Each structure stands twice: as structure tokens, then as C-alpha cells.
């Protein structure tokens, strides 16, 4: 009789149980730039979704999918399509949109585009929805699909803009367009009649609440909550000085984003939503409470933003000290780095941002502790991982962009040619340009740049963030049978024709389902190129690709203004797939017990695909190679 071994199946079951039993319960957040993640060393802007997880406990974690420039349709067609792949039964999904749904003054962007196409004209702004119809329909699709996955959707009304009107926030600031909006007729857009104060036809926040009621789901009124928060500061100037990023009436600084996240958590707790799993600290705390600075190459420096939070502190005024173990430096301004800091507080309240910096002197994990002391003591573990890049063949893709878009490739890899979405190359030469290059480049004003213009030549008014359908793209991927380890991405960019050019630069390894921010520039000085440079730790396996995109917009309606690019570089090392080593700390300190395939078969080493790794402490990690 043939013997059957149950050992592989038993191992797989044990590992599966270990993995699932430790699986985090998740809150998924979908929204626009007021909720989005921002690169801490590039901009003072912060989204409240960055901090919502600080108020979760008991194994809950928050995953923020919000991106700038997204309306409710983009929320469904882009953000939700990524998020829903990660949603499990019992998860929560928080949904908030409206800022970009107003892009066409209350008209639907797709309907407006179709109208102009019918009369032989073009319309490039496809964002925007009608509050009572397409806005609700977009939100409803996310709600219905989340429910079908066994998740629990929550609709939040949008945060206000800081549009003060006497002792209140104006109607427009509350996302009610009743005083000024447009209607699309068979003859084109026309102004709609001014609506009475109690007529909510054009009120996005109102229709978000109505949708929640119709669907029988929870609703969080962040519109009124943020209005009350802003008004508590008395005047618009005081409010914006404390809560906003200094670049308008929409986006928050760290304090504003943190307080909005706390307010959302407070409202949820008061309404019995995750009540036992939300904590609202009333003493001294630090967020994040565990500082992982990430990965970089040995010898490089990593830093991270942390926030001191104090509510109801005793005594009412005092001093908080911050110290760190050897190898960690601290700063309030990212310029003056010290081994210790102190900060005073009054009125029993403190919100203060500080930064931790670590030089990666050792391969593998570099660690330490930050200690914060006031009436209580808080310790924050700090770690960073140093990766050593060895072997392989050098690879470099270089787009000079002085006379054409050709790429010079060195080493074994495949270039993804420059391409454009709702942009085009206007020209390379401008005899009147007086380009001021950064010191050290060796370039003078005669060095040309690629000048790119929006399709239609006119930048639209009222853009406060990038348009997801407008970008310039570059890319690189490994040759068949090889892998690439990308260790450098860089380019020069600026605006020309005026000082209002703005841009985001991102890269992605999953066709922009997710992205990493390299640069956030607002109102860049014309003809003054800035160097955007990053040394990421990226591994591309056969079939994967790195895409680099520049998303430009202009501060106000303008014609002929260009976004200028030069010296785009993507470089690293190529490896034969058979000899590629994984960049990981697993096994570096001899803590690995055994490697197993996903079906429980023991292996001598990591194999291509999903691996299960058991460590000496009994824990199990899932590694994708």
C-alpha cells in the first residue's frame, strides 16, 4: 500500500494558522489630497489619513489609499480598484470625496466632455460630478462593493475649506455650490439660479449624508466638525496659521491633519463605531509609536517625522525633553541636529513635530530608542535597515532631453520610451530663456531643456493638485530572465513662462496602482531647474517595470506655460535571475530556522515566489522573492 505523508500538509496548515492569526484588522481610507500621504521632506502639507492609524488599537491598522486630485469617480475607478484587493471580511472602509467633484462647477466631467465632443470641440477636465446624481452614484458603487466583500463602509462628508464669512464658514467652504454653479443644457453650460439657504440640491456634504442614510450605513460629519474646529481659532488668519500648510485654504499642516484625524476618530467612537478599538490619548504620546525609518544603502542617512501629542497634560504648563540613544540625532527644523531637544507647552496641550535621523553604519538592522519625558515617560523604538548592493552589471538609462527624447542605455535592461498623456513636447530651444542651473552642474544658459505643454495649450483655473490624466512618463524594466535592482532616480525640472508651475514626481512598480512620491513642487521659479534625486531600494523581477511620471499643473488659468525636463536618469544593477539575492534581514543574524514553500514543503533557501520563513522566536514571515 502506498504511504501518504501528511507532514507537508500539516506544516502548511500550521503556518497558515500562524499567518492568519496574526493578520491585522484593517481600516482602508479613500479620499483626495486633504486625506492623502505626503513626502515629509518635500512639503509642509499633510493629509489626515496619514495620522488616522495613530488612534487605532487592539491590532487594528490603517491603510491610506487617498491621492490628490481625485474626485468620487476616480475614487471608484482608481483608488477602490486597488484597495478592494486588500479588503477582507470585517475590515472598515472610510470614504470621503467632494473637493475635486466641484471641478466643473457642479457639472459632470464626462457629460461635459461628451457635449464638447458632439460639437467638435475638446474638453480636458474630466473630473467633476453632480451632487445629487453622479456623485452619489460613484460613492454608492464603493459602498455596495465593500459590503459584498464583507467589509463595513463608512461615508464621511468632506473637510471644509477655511472660507470664513463673519462668524461662520461660507457655503462654498462647506462644499455647497448653491450660490454659484453651472448646469449643462443641450446648448452648453449655463449659470444655475442662486438657491435658498435651505435648498441642498448642490450640497455635496448633504448628499453624502443622504447616501449613507439610504444605504443604512454610518455617516461621519467632518464638514461641520471641521467648521467648528476652524471657528474655534476666531479668525481665518489665526486658523490658517495653526492648521494649514501656508499654500491656500484647503491643505493641512501636521497639526491640522492630526487634529482632523483625531476628530474623525472621536466622532466614530462617540457613535459606537470601533468604540473599543479607538484610543484618544489624554496624556503625552508620540506618533508613530514605533519609528521604522525604512531601507537604504549602507552609509546613507535616513530620517523620519514624528509628532509629540499632549492633551490634558499636567501641570498646565511645563517642559518636555526628548533624548535618543547613540546613533540617532534629533531636530525640530531638519537643519540643526542634536542629541537632545526640549519644548515648552501651555494650556495642558502640545502638538509639536520633530525629526529623527540615523546614519546606517552597519549592514542589516540599525536600532535605537527615543525617550520623551514630561509628567510621564514615553519610549519609541527606532530602526532602519541597511542594504548592501553587490555583484551584477551596471545599468543606466539616461534621457538628456536637449534636442530629442532619445534614451542612452548602458547595460542589460529594456527602456520604456518617454510618453505623454494630455501633454506634448512644445520645443527644445528657446533663444530668450536664461536658464539658471544649480551650482556644480557645469551647465550654462545655453543648455536646453525639453519644454512640455498641456494639450490645448491653456492650463485650467482652480487646480490645486495634479490631474491623474495628465503626465509625462519614463520607464525601465529588466530583460527577460534577469532582475534589476534600482538604486538611483534623478532629473532636473522647472517651469517656464511664469512662476506658477507646480508638479508632482512619482515612481511606481505596479502600473501606478500604488506610487512613491519623489517631489512635490508648488509655484516653482521659472527657468531655475531643481534637482530631484532619490536612492531607493527597488527590486524588479522579470515581467516587472519601473515607471517614472511627472504630473504638472499651473497655479491659475494660463496659456503657453511649459514644464521643462532634463537629464532624466534611472540606474542600478542587473542580475541573472538564477543568482539574484534578496535584499532582506531574514537570516542575516542567524535567526532563520527553515524555509518552506507556500504548500509546506521544506526548502534549502528562498525560491522565486511566495516563501514561508520560520524564525528561532517561533514567528513566521511571508517573503515574496
Amino acid at each position: 500500500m502506498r504511504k501518504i505523508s501528511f507532514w507537508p500538509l500539516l506544516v502548511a496548515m500550521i503556518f497558515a494558522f500562524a499567518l492568519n492569526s496574526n493578520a491585522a484588522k484593517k481600516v482602508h481610507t479613500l479620499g483626495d489630497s486633504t486625506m492623502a500621504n505626503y513626502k515629509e521632506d518635500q512639503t509642509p502639507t499633510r493629509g489626515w489619513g496619514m495620522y488616522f492609524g495613530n488612534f487605532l488599537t487592539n491590532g487594528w491598522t490603517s491603510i491610506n489609499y487617498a491621492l490628490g486630485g481625485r474626485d468620487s469617480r476616480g475614487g471608484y475607478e482608481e483608488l477602490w480598484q486597488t484597495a478592494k484587493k486588500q479588503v477582507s471580511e470585517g475590515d472598515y472602509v472610510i470614504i470621503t470625496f467632494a473637493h475635486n467633484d466641484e471641478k466643473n462647477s457642479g457639472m459632470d466631467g464626462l457629460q461635459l466632455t461628451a457635449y464638447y465632443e458632439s460639437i467638435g470641440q475638446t474638453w480636458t477636465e474630466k473630473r467633476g460630478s453632480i451632487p445629487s446624481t453622479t456623485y452619489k452614484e460613484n460613492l454608492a458603487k464603493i459602498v455596495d462593493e465593500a459590503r459584498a466583500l464583507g467589509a463595513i463602509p463608512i461615508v464621511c462628508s468632506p473637510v471644509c475649506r477655511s472660507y470664513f464669512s463673519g462668524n461662520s464658514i461660507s457655503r462654498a467652504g462647506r462644499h455647497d455650490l448653491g450660490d454659484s454653479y453651472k448646469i449643462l443644457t443641450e446648448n452648453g453650460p449655463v449659470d444655475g439660479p442662486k438657491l435658498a439657504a435651505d435648498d441642498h440640491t448642490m450640497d455635496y456634504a448633504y448628499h453624502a449624508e443622504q447616501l449613507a442614510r439610504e444605504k443604512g450605513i454610518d455617516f461621519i460629519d467632518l464638514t461641520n466638525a471641521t467648521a467648528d474646529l476652524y471657528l474655534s481659532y476666531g479668525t481665518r488668519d489665526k486658523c490658517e496659521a495653526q492648521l494649514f500648510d501656508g499654500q491656500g485654504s484647503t491643505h493641512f499642516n501636521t497639526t491640522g491633519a492630526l487634529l482632523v484625524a483625531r476628530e474623525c476618530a472621536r466622532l466614530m467612537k462617540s457613535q459606537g463605531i470601533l468604540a473599543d478599538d479607538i484610543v484618544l490619548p489624554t496624556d503625552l504620546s508620540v506618533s508613530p509609536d514605533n519609528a521604522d525609518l525604512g531601507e537604504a544603502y549602507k552609509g546613507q542617512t535616513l530620517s523620519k517625522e514624528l509628532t509629540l501629542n499632549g492633551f490634558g497634560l499636567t501641570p498646565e504648563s511645563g517642559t518636555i525633553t526628548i533624548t535618543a540613544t547613540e546613533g540617532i540625532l534629533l531636530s525640530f527644523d531638519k537643519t540643526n541636529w542634536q542629541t537632545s531637544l526640549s519644548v515648552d507647552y501651555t494650556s495642558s496641550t502640545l502638538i509639536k513635530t520633530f525629526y529623527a535621523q540615523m546614519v546606517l553604519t552597519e549592514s542589516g538592522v540599525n536600532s535605537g530608542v527615543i525617550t520623551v519625558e514630561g509628567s510621564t515617560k514615553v519610549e519609541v523604538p527606532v530602526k532602519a535597515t541597511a542594504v548592501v548592493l553587490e555583484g551584477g552589471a551596471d545599468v543606466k538609462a539616461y534621457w538628456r532631453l536637449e534636442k530629442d527624447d532619445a534614451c542612452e542605455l548602458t547595460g542589460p535592461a529594456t527602456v520604456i520610451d518617454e510618453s505623454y498623456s494630455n501633454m506634448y513636447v512644445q520645443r527644445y530651444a528657446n533663444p530668450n530663456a536664461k536658464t539658471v542651473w544649480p551650482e556644480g552642474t557645469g551647465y550654462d544658459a545655453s543648455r536646453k531643456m525639453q519644454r512640455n505643454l498641456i494639450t490645448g495649450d491653456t492650463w485650467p483655473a482652480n487646480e490645486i493638485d495634479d490631474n491623474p490624466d495628465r503626465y509625462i512618463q519614463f520607464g525601465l524594466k529588466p530583460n527577460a530572465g534577469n532582475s534589476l535592482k534600482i538604486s538611483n532616480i534623478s532629473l532636473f525640472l522647472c517651469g517656464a513662462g511664469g512662476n506658477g508651475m507646480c508638479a508632482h514626481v512619482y515612481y511606481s512598480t505596479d502600473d501606478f496602482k500604488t506610487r512613491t512620491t519623489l517631489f512635490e513642487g508648488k509655484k516653482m521659479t521659472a527657468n531655475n531647474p531643481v534637482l530631484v534625486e532619490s536612492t531607493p531600494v527597488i527590486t524588479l523581477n522579470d515581467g516587472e517595470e519601473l515607471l517614472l511620471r511627472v504630473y504638472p499643473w499651473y497655479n491659475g488659468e494660463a496659456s503657453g506655460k511649459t514644464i521643462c525636463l532634463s537629464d532624466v536618469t534611472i540606474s542600478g544593477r542587473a542580475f541573472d535571475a538564477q543568482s539574484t539575492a534578496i535584499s532582506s534581514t531574514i537570516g542575516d543574524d542567524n535567526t532563520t530556522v527553515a524555509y518552506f514553500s507556500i504548500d509546506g514543503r521544506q526548502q534549502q533557501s528562498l525560491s522565486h515566489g511566495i516563501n514561508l520563513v520560520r524564525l528561532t522566536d517561533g514567528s513566521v514571515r511571508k517573503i515574496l522573492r
Side-chain angles (χ1 to χ4, degrees):
M1 180 180 292
R2 178 173 175 263
K3 292 183 179 180
I4 300 176
S5 173
F6 292 97
W7 169 242
L9 179 60
L10 178 61
V11 172
M13 291 174 65
I14 292 171
F15 280 9
F17 175 78
L19 291 168
N20 291 334
S21 62
N22 293 323
K25 298 169 286 187
K26 302 181 290 293
V27 178
H28 308 266
T29 52
L30 305 174
D32 53 38
S33 58
T34 60
M35 181 192 259
N37 295 329
Y38 289 88
K39 192 171 177 62
E40 295 165 353
D41 61 354
Q42 293 284 345
T43 177
T45 307
R46 302 289 183 268
W48 68 266
M50 297 172 65
Y51 302 101
F52 181 75
N54 297 347
F55 304 100
L56 297 175
T57 187
N58 296 332
W60 286 88
T61 187
S62 178
I63 305 175
N64 188 24
Y65 301 90
L67 288 174
R70 273 52 179 182
D71 62 356
S72 59
R73 183 178 290 109
Y76 173 73
E77 294 182 351
E78 181 183 359
L79 307 186
W80 173 242
Q81 300 311 311
T82 297
K84 70 180 183 181
K85 298 173 185 176
Q86 312 300 322
V87 172
S88 301
E89 185 175 358
D91 287 356
Y92 283 75
V93 179
I94 297 178
I95 310 157
T96 179
F97 293 95
H99 285 79
N100 299 296
D101 286 272
E102 303 169 18
K103 284 296 181 185
N104 281 305
S105 301
M107 295 180 290
D108 185 89
L110 293 186
Q111 295 175 10
L112 196 59
T113 299
Y115 165 75
Y116 280 108
E117 287 178 350
S118 72
I119 60 173
Q121 298 181 20
T122 59
W123 187 259
T124 60
E125 182 55 87
K126 295 180 173 61
R127 291 173 294 177
S129 65
I130 302 168
S132 61
T133 57
T134 51
Y135 173 67
K136 289 177 66 178
E137 291 165 6
N138 293 330
L139 298 182
K141 286 188 283 190
I142 302 175
V143 168
D144 291 344
E145 292 185 16
R147 276 178 153 174
L149 293 170
I152 304 161
I154 299 171
V155 171
C156 285
S157 60
V159 298
C160 289
R161 294 188 176 96
S162 58
Y163 293 174
F164 277 62
S165 178
N167 295 321
S168 65
I169 300 297
S170 72
R171 198 173 186 179
R174 293 172 178 267
H175 305 282
D176 182 352
L177 305 185
D179 288 341
S180 179
Y181 63 97
K182 293 183 182 295
I183 299 171
L184 180 60
T185 72
E186 61 181 12
N187 296 315
V190 298
D191 291 335
K194 183 174 180 178
L195 303 178
D198 60 354
D199 186 332
H200 297 289
T201 301
M202 299 303 297
D203 186 343
Y204 289 91
Y206 172 84
H207 287 289
E209 182 175 10
Q210 293 308 301
L211 173 71
R213 293 184 183 279
E214 291 165 11
K215 294 291 184 180
I217 63 174
D218 288 307
F219 172 74
I220 304 298
D221 188 356
L222 277 187
T223 305
N224 280 318
T226 50
D228 291 342
L229 174 64
Y230 301 172
L231 294 171
S232 70
Y233 288 87
T235 67
R236 178 172 181 165
D237 288 345
K238 290 180 180 178
C239 169
E240 292 190 352
Q242 294 297 315
L243 304 181
F244 287 78
D245 66 354
Q247 302 180 55
S249 305
T250 302
H251 298 113
F252 303 115
N253 59 19
T254 301
T255 300
L258 182 65
L259 288 178
V260 171
R262 190 176 194 275
E263 189 64 9
C264 182
R266 183 191 68 80
L267 290 170
M268 289 174 61
K269 191 176 184 73
S270 69
Q271 294 174 211
I273 308 167
L274 286 174
D276 295 333
D277 302 303
I278 288 176
V279 58
L280 301 172
T282 56
D283 205 335
L284 190 63
S285 64
V286 179
S287 58
D289 59 7
N290 196 318
D292 186 346
L293 277 60
E295 283 188 324
Y297 297 101
K298 185 178 177 180
Q300 292 183 323
T301 300
L302 287 174
S303 62
K304 188 171 185 65
E305 179 181 279
L306 298 96
T307 307
L308 274 173
N309 311 303
F311 300 96
L313 298 178
T314 56
E316 288 189 3
S317 59
T319 300
I320 304 298
T321 61
I322 313 170
T323 57
T325 53
E326 185 177 357
I328 301 173
L329 293 177
L330 306 168
S331 177
F332 285 133
D333 59 9
K334 296 186 288 186
T335 300
N336 300 300
W337 295 94
Q338 306 171 56
T339 57
S340 65
L341 302 170
S342 64
V343 57
D344 297 331
Y345 71 89
T346 59
S347 303
S348 298
T349 302
L350 171 66
I351 299 178
K352 181 69 174 179
T353 297
F354 69 100
Y355 303 88
Q357 181 187 85
M358 183 183 289
V359 179
L360 303 184
T361 57
E362 302 291 335
S363 300
V365 177
N366 294 239
S367 60
V369 177
I370 295 172
T371 301
V372 178
E373 292 189 85
S375 57
T376 59
K377 182 167 78 171
V378 179
E379 291 188 342
V380 180
V382 180
K383 73 171 184 177
T385 303
V387 175
V388 177
L389 186 60
E390 298 176 336
D394 287 337
V395 167
K396 179 180 178 181
Y398 174 63
W399 290 263
R400 184 180 177 94
L401 303 183
E402 189 174 17
K403 62 179 181 179
D404 56 34
D405 62 1
C407 178
E408 178 184 328
L409 176 65
T410 303
T414 300
V415 170
I416 300 171
D417 291 334
E418 183 180 14
S419 59
Y420 316 87
S421 176
N422 292 306
M423 298 286 299
Y424 72 95
V425 178
Q426 182 202 43
R427 57 183 171 178
Y428 290 89
N430 184 351
N432 299 317
K434 297 181 179 179
T435 307
V436 181
W437 291 92
E439 290 186 12
T441 62
Y443 299 160
D444 58 29
S446 65
R447 175 65 180 252
K448 303 177 182 65
M449 301 182 74
Q450 184 187 75
R451 296 171 179 269
N452 301 283
L453 195 57
I454 185 174
T455 300
D457 296 353
T458 300
W459 300 89
N462 302 318
E463 288 201 320
I464 59 174
D465 214 317
D466 64 56
N467 184 324
D469 297 321
R470 183 196 310 137
Y471 57 83
I472 305 163
Q473 176 178 284
F474 306 84
L476 190 66
K477 62 183 180 180
N479 289 338
N482 284 5
S483 69
L484 276 177
K485 292 186 181 294
I486 304 297
S487 57
N488 178 266
I489 303 172
S490 63
L491 70 153
F492 286 104
L493 85 166
C494 65
N499 296 330
M501 188 60 67
C502 310
H504 286 154
V505 181
Y506 309 106
Y507 73 79
S508 175
T509 59
D510 59 8
D511 197 25
F512 275 81
K513 297 180 178 65
T514 60
R515 67 195 63 203
T516 298
T517 304
L518 296 184
F519 177 75
E520 297 175 348
K522 304 285 184 69
K523 301 179 183 178
M524 295 184 288
T525 303
N527 299 311
N528 278 249
V530 296
L531 174 63
V532 177
E533 187 170 30
S534 177
T535 53
V537 178
I538 302 171
T539 297
L540 299 174
N541 293 312
D542 192 357
E544 298 176 329
E545 57 188 26
L546 173 77
L547 298 178
L548 175 68
R549 289 182 183 174
V550 179
Y551 286 80
W553 74 99
Y554 202 79
N555 182 44
E557 184 175 353
S559 298
K561 315 300 184 184
T562 57
I563 178 79
C564 306
L565 304 177
S566 176
D567 297 85
V568 176
T569 304
I570 304 173
S571 63
R573 290 177 182 269
F575 295 82
D576 181 84
Q578 299 301 317
S579 60
T580 301
I582 186 169
S583 294
S584 172
T585 60
I586 297 289
D588 288 352
D589 53 1
N590 297 316
T591 59
T592 301
V593 172
Y595 302 100
F596 293 85
S597 65
I598 194 64
D599 62 0
R601 290 179 290 106
Q602 190 165 358
Q603 306 170 150
Q604 294 300 312
S605 62
L606 291 172
S607 63
H608 189 73
I610 298 175
N611 299 261
L612 301 175
V613 179
R614 189 176 71 207
L615 307 181
T616 53
D617 61 5
S619 64
V620 176
R621 298 191 191 179
K622 184 186 291 183
I623 301 294
L624 176 63
R625 181 176 182 231

